[in-house]
Coordinates of all heavy atoms in Angstrom, one line a residue:
Q28 N -8.3 1.3 4.3 CA -9.8 1.3 4.5 C -10.2 2.3 5.6 O -11.4 2.3 5.9 CB -10.2 -0.1 4.9 CG -9.8 -1.1 3.7 CD -10.2 -2.6 4.2 OE1 -10.8 -2.8 5.2 NE2 -9.7 -3.6 3.4
N29 N -9.2 3.0 6.2 CA -9.6 3.9 7.3 C -10.3 3.3 8.4 O -11.3 3.8 8.9 CB -10.4 5.1 6.7 CG -10.4 6.3 7.7 OD1 -9.5 6.4 8.5 ND2 -11.5 7.1 7.6
T30 N -9.8 2.1 8.8 CA -10.5 1.4 9.9 C -9.6 1.4 11.2 O -8.6 1.9 11.2 CB -10.7 -0.1 9.5 OG1 -9.5 -0.7 9.1 CG2 -11.7 -0.1 8.3
T31 N -10.1 0.7 12.2 CA -9.4 0.7 13.4 C -8.1 -0.1 13.3 O -8.0 -1.1 12.6 CB -10.2 -0.1 14.5 OG1 -11.5 0.6 14.7 CG2 -9.5 -0.2 15.8
P32 N -6.9 0.5 13.8 CA -5.7 -0.2 13.6 C -5.7 -1.5 14.4 O -6.4 -1.7 15.4 CB -4.7 0.8 14.2 CG -5.5 1.6 15.1 CD -6.8 1.8 14.5
H33 N -4.9 -2.5 13.9 CA -4.9 -3.8 14.4 C -3.4 -4.2 14.7 O -2.5 -3.8 14.1 CB -5.5 -4.8 13.5 CG -7.0 -4.8 13.4 ND1 -7.7 -3.6 12.9 CD2 -8.0 -5.6 13.8 CE1 -9.0 -3.9 13.0 NE2 -9.2 -5.1 13.6
I34 N -3.3 -5.2 15.6 CA -2.0 -5.9 15.9 C -2.3 -7.4 15.7 O -3.0 -8.0 16.4 CB -1.4 -5.6 17.2 CG1 -1.0 -4.2 17.4 CG2 -0.2 -6.5 17.5 CD1 -0.4 -3.8 18.8
T35 N -1.7 -7.9 14.6 CA -1.9 -9.4 14.3 C -3.4 -9.7 14.3 O -3.8 -10.8 14.9 CB -1.1 -10.3 15.2 OG1 -1.6 -10.1 16.5 CG2 0.4 -10.0 15.1
G36 N -4.3 -8.9 13.8 CA -5.7 -9.2 13.7 C -6.5 -8.7 14.9 O -7.7 -8.9 14.9
V37 N -5.8 -8.2 15.9 CA -6.6 -7.8 17.2 C -6.7 -6.3 17.1 O -5.7 -5.6 17.0 CB -5.8 -8.2 18.4 CG1 -6.5 -7.7 19.7 CG2 -5.8 -9.8 18.5
P38 N -7.9 -5.7 17.3 CA -8.1 -4.3 17.2 C -7.4 -3.5 18.4 O -7.5 -4.0 19.6 CB -9.6 -4.1 17.3 CG -10.2 -5.3 17.9 CD -9.2 -6.4 17.5
I39 N -6.8 -2.4 18.1 CA -6.3 -1.5 19.2 C -7.4 -0.5 19.6 O -7.9 0.3 18.7 CB -5.1 -0.8 18.7 CG1 -4.0 -1.8 18.3 CG2 -4.5 0.2 19.8 CD1 -2.8 -1.2 17.7
V40 N -7.9 -0.6 20.8 CA -9.0 0.2 21.2 C -8.7 1.4 22.1 O -9.6 2.1 22.6 CB -10.0 -0.7 22.0 CG1 -10.5 -1.8 21.1 CG2 -9.4 -1.4 23.2
G41 N -7.4 1.6 22.3 CA -7.0 2.8 23.1 C -5.7 2.6 23.8 O -4.9 1.7 23.5
D42 N -5.4 3.5 24.8 CA -4.2 3.3 25.6 C -4.5 2.7 26.9 O -5.6 2.1 27.1 CB -3.5 4.7 25.8 CG -4.5 5.7 26.4 OD1 -5.5 5.3 26.9 OD2 -4.2 6.9 26.4
V43 N -3.6 2.8 27.9 CA -3.8 2.1 29.1 C -5.0 2.6 29.9 O -5.8 1.8 30.5 CB -2.5 2.3 30.0 CG1 -2.7 1.6 31.4 CG2 -1.3 1.8 29.3
T44 N -5.3 3.9 29.8 CA -6.4 4.5 30.5 C -7.8 4.0 30.0 O -8.8 4.1 30.7 CB -6.3 6.0 30.4 OG1 -6.5 6.4 29.0 CG2 -5.1 6.6 31.0
A45 N -7.8 3.4 28.8 CA -9.0 2.9 28.2 C -9.3 1.5 28.5 O -10.4 1.0 28.3 CB -9.0 3.1 26.7
A46 N -8.4 0.8 29.2 CA -8.5 -0.7 29.4 C -9.7 -1.0 30.3 O -10.5 -1.8 30.1 CB -7.2 -1.2 30.0
A47 N -9.7 -0.3 31.5 CA -10.8 -0.6 32.5 C -12.2 -0.3 31.9 O -13.1 -1.0 32.1 CB -10.6 0.2 33.7
T48 N -12.3 0.9 31.2 CA -13.6 1.2 30.6 C -14.0 0.2 29.5 O -15.2 -0.2 29.5 CB -13.5 2.6 29.9 OG1 -13.1 3.6 30.9 CG2 -14.9 3.0 29.4
Y49 N -13.1 -0.2 28.7 CA -13.4 -1.2 27.6 C -13.8 -2.5 28.3 O -14.7 -3.2 27.8 CB -12.3 -1.4 26.7 CG -12.6 -2.2 25.5 CD1 -13.0 -1.6 24.3 CD2 -12.4 -3.6 25.5 CE1 -13.3 -2.4 23.2 CE2 -12.7 -4.4 24.4 CZ -13.2 -3.8 23.3 OH -13.5 -4.5 22.2
A50 N -13.1 -2.9 29.3 CA -13.4 -4.2 30.1 C -14.8 -4.2 30.6 O -15.6 -5.1 30.6 CB -12.4 -4.5 31.1
A51 N -15.3 -3.0 31.1 CA -16.6 -2.9 31.8 C -17.7 -2.9 30.7 O -18.8 -3.4 31.0 CB -16.7 -1.6 32.5
T52 N -17.4 -2.4 29.5 CA -18.5 -2.3 28.5 C -18.5 -3.4 27.5 O -19.4 -3.5 26.7 CB -18.4 -1.0 27.8 OG1 -17.0 -0.9 27.2 CG2 -18.6 0.2 28.7
H53 N -17.5 -4.3 27.5 CA -17.5 -5.4 26.5 C -17.3 -6.8 27.1 O -16.8 -7.7 26.5 CB -16.3 -5.1 25.6 CG -16.5 -4.0 24.7 ND1 -16.3 -2.6 25.1 CD2 -16.9 -3.9 23.4 CE1 -16.6 -1.8 24.1 NE2 -16.9 -2.5 23.0
A54 N -17.7 -6.9 28.4 CA -17.8 -8.2 29.0 C -16.4 -8.9 29.0 O -16.2 -10.1 28.6 CB -18.8 -9.1 28.4
I55 N -15.4 -8.2 29.4 CA -14.0 -8.7 29.4 C -13.8 -9.4 30.7 O -14.1 -8.9 31.8 CB -13.0 -7.6 29.2 CG1 -13.1 -6.9 27.8 CG2 -11.6 -8.1 29.3 CD1 -12.9 -7.9 26.6
D56 N -13.2 -10.6 30.6 CA -12.9 -11.4 31.8 C -11.5 -11.1 32.4 O -11.4 -11.2 33.7 CB -13.0 -12.9 31.5 CG -14.3 -13.3 30.9 OD1 -15.3 -12.9 31.5 OD2 -14.3 -13.9 29.8
T57 N -10.6 -10.8 31.6 CA -9.1 -10.7 32.0 C -8.5 -9.5 31.3 O -8.7 -9.3 30.1 CB -8.4 -12.0 31.7 OG1 -9.1 -13.1 32.3 CG2 -7.0 -11.9 32.3
V58 N -7.6 -8.8 32.0 CA -6.8 -7.8 31.4 C -5.3 -8.3 31.6 O -4.9 -8.4 32.8 CB -7.0 -6.4 32.0 CG1 -6.0 -5.4 31.5 CG2 -8.4 -5.9 31.7
V59 N -4.6 -8.5 30.6 CA -3.2 -9.0 30.6 C -2.3 -7.8 30.3 O -2.3 -7.2 29.3 CB -3.0 -10.1 29.6 CG1 -1.6 -10.7 29.8 CG2 -4.0 -11.2 29.8
V60 N -1.4 -7.5 31.3 CA -0.5 -6.4 31.2 C 0.9 -6.9 30.8 O 1.4 -7.8 31.6 CB -0.5 -5.5 32.4 CG1 0.5 -4.4 32.3 CG2 -1.9 -5.0 32.8
T61 N 1.5 -6.4 29.8 CA 2.9 -6.8 29.4 C 3.8 -5.7 29.8 O 3.4 -4.6 30.3 CB 3.0 -7.1 27.9 OG1 2.8 -5.9 27.2 CG2 2.0 -8.1 27.5
S62 N 5.1 -5.8 29.6 CA 6.1 -4.9 30.0 C 6.0 -3.6 29.2 O 5.7 -3.6 28.0 CB 7.5 -5.4 29.8 OG 7.7 -5.8 28.5
S63 N 6.2 -2.5 29.9 CA 6.1 -1.1 29.3 C 6.6 -0.1 30.3 O 6.2 -0.2 31.5 CB 4.7 -0.8 28.9 OG 4.7 0.6 28.5
D64 N 7.5 0.8 29.9 CA 7.9 1.9 30.8 C 6.8 2.8 31.3 O 6.9 3.3 32.4 CB 9.0 2.7 30.1 CG 10.3 1.9 29.9 OD1 10.5 0.9 30.6 OD2 11.1 2.4 29.0
E65 N 5.7 2.9 30.5 CA 4.7 3.8 30.9 C 3.7 3.2 31.9 O 3.0 3.9 32.6 CB 3.9 4.1 29.6 CG 4.6 4.9 28.6 CD 3.8 5.2 27.3 OE1 2.6 5.3 27.4 OE2 4.4 5.2 26.2
I66 N 3.8 1.8 32.1 CA 3.0 1.2 33.1 C 3.8 1.1 34.4 O 4.5 0.1 34.7 CB 2.5 -0.2 32.7 CG1 1.8 -0.1 31.3 CG2 1.6 -0.8 33.7 CD1 1.4 -1.4 30.8
T67 N 3.7 2.1 35.2 CA 4.4 2.2 36.5 C 3.6 1.5 37.6 O 2.4 1.1 37.4 CB 4.6 3.7 36.9 OG1 3.3 4.3 37.1 CG2 5.3 4.5 35.8

């Protein structure tokens, strides 16, 4: 359908750098960070 990719029904909205911007513009209360080598 050429739509936004999802993980178990949750839309993927970008990479780590997009988290703060998305939180500010979509009334996000919490950002949960899991393990990743890229998150130093």
